[in-house]
Amino acid sequence: MTDKSAVKISKDHGGKEFASSYHFVGKVKPIRNQEKGTDNWVDVPYYREETDNKGKVKKILEFIIETAESNDLKIKLSGKEMTFVYPYSSSKKKSSKISWEDRFDKTKYPDDTYHYIDSEWDKIDKFKELISTDVWVEVKGKYNPYEFTGDRDSEIKGVSRIPSYINPIIDGKVKIGDELRAIQVNKVDIPYICDLKSPDFVEVNNFKMQIGIRSTYADKEKGMTNVNGVFLTYGKTSSEPKDVHLIVYQQEATEGKKPLADAFESLDEFDFIEVTGQDNNRAMFTWIPIEEKLDKDDPFADVDESNKQTRYEKVTNGVKKGLEITGYIAGSLIREYLTEAELVKAISTTQEDPLAAENKKESFDDKNCPIDFSDDDLPF
């Protein structure tokens, strides 16, 4: 049965707004950028402040979280002071407008049921105290798809990882306040080892994302299905569509079942689905035997092969990048849920290069379903 209540509807204009979330656990290290005009690579400070042309200060926190050996994901949060904040009352389901200077003064709130949700400016002050080289942290947040025009008018698309929560990891457990808790994946406690090279290490790297479908196509040579999706974000007068690209790798299914990649290939434009997966920016490795070169007079030259133990070396054989779909939320598929108008971009949708002055080679960086259909129509 299709879930027809999963998508948020804007109270301002009735447009759809999609949601995303990610959950990472790993080791912190700095971003490295190449100095302009040199061959030198330098560490970027975890925290810095910049001043815009209007004299307004912006705080920036950015770092790499290594979720598995050589899977380096960039996390970045920036924020400025605002004019107002809007404490929210969950019991009354209302917000209240408070001046920026009074955001911590509870006497300015309507009553005790209202609570201030930290702005990016205030979150950075807390998060920066937790970030240093080689510490282990848990990061939870959301994606912000972006697109911009690069050199030679090339169109560049991607996603930024915006942190909502950062918590330290101590002895394989997450510290929340004064309490140590087991790390959870899909609401199940897991044993976590803070050693990327341990044979018992388990990677915590997963995401969920609501997407509409623009197109899908199979790349048989690479063994994957490409999913060109659209992510609807908030806009003042209508929802803004942002393009996202995801990949489903072809894997053999059990007898009588359809491979996940084939199911996604069958989706059509305007369909909606909520996907799950993992975030990749990793080097791929393989082990190759080290060839033994012996002289003719070497006493081991004629020894039987069964008596030899071959040494192997670890080499990089490529990279794996992007949002990889590994599953979907049951009941989330809605056929023809989007409209053609919802896929049309406003001129303001494009933005400045979010990677400007950063490493261009990221390091190992109340709605209703409008259509009724039967279960026989479902590709899953």
Side-chain angles (χ1 to χ4, degrees), residues 280-298:
N280 296 315
N281 183 39
R282 66 184 79 218
M284 303 298 291
F285 300 101
T286 189
W287 292 89
I288 62 173
I290 299 175
E291 184 180 352
E292 184 182 28
K293 296 181 179 180
L294 300 176
D295 296 330
K296 292 182 179 180
D297 58 351
D298 191 297

Side-chain angles (χ1 to χ4, degrees), residues 21-26 137-140 167-169 172-176 179-193 202-208:
S21 64
Y22 65 73
H23 180 201
F24 307 139
V25 177
V137 295
E138 174 187 61
V139 183
K140 293 183 177 182
N167 297 305
I169 300 297
K173 295 187 175 182
V174 58
K175 184 178 181 182
I176 301 177
E179 183 181 355
L180 287 177
R181 304 179 188 176
I183 295 171
Q184 288 193 336
V185 175
N186 296 324
K187 299 182 179 180
V188 177
D189 293 355
I190 67 165
Y192 190 81
I193 298 173
V202 177
E203 182 178 8
V204 178
N205 170 357
N206 55 75
F207 74 87
K208 293 181 181 179

Side-chain angles (χ1 to χ4, degrees), residues 46-63:
Y46 292 119
Y47 171 77
R48 69 180 186 274
E49 295 182 3
E50 295 180 351
T51 303
D52 64 18
N53 53 14
K54 295 182 179 179
K56 198 165 186 177
V57 175
K58 178 169 70 173
K59 294 179 178 179
I60 300 171
L61 177 73
E62 57 183 348
F63 60 94

Side-chain angles (χ1 to χ4, degrees), residues 9 16 26 59 65 71-72 167 183 206 240 263 266 280 341 344:
I9 300 298
K16 306 177 184 75
K59 294 179 178 179
I65 182 169
N71 191 53
D72 292 354
N167 297 305
I183 295 171
N206 55 75
E240 291 285 358
S266 71
N280 296 315
V344 176

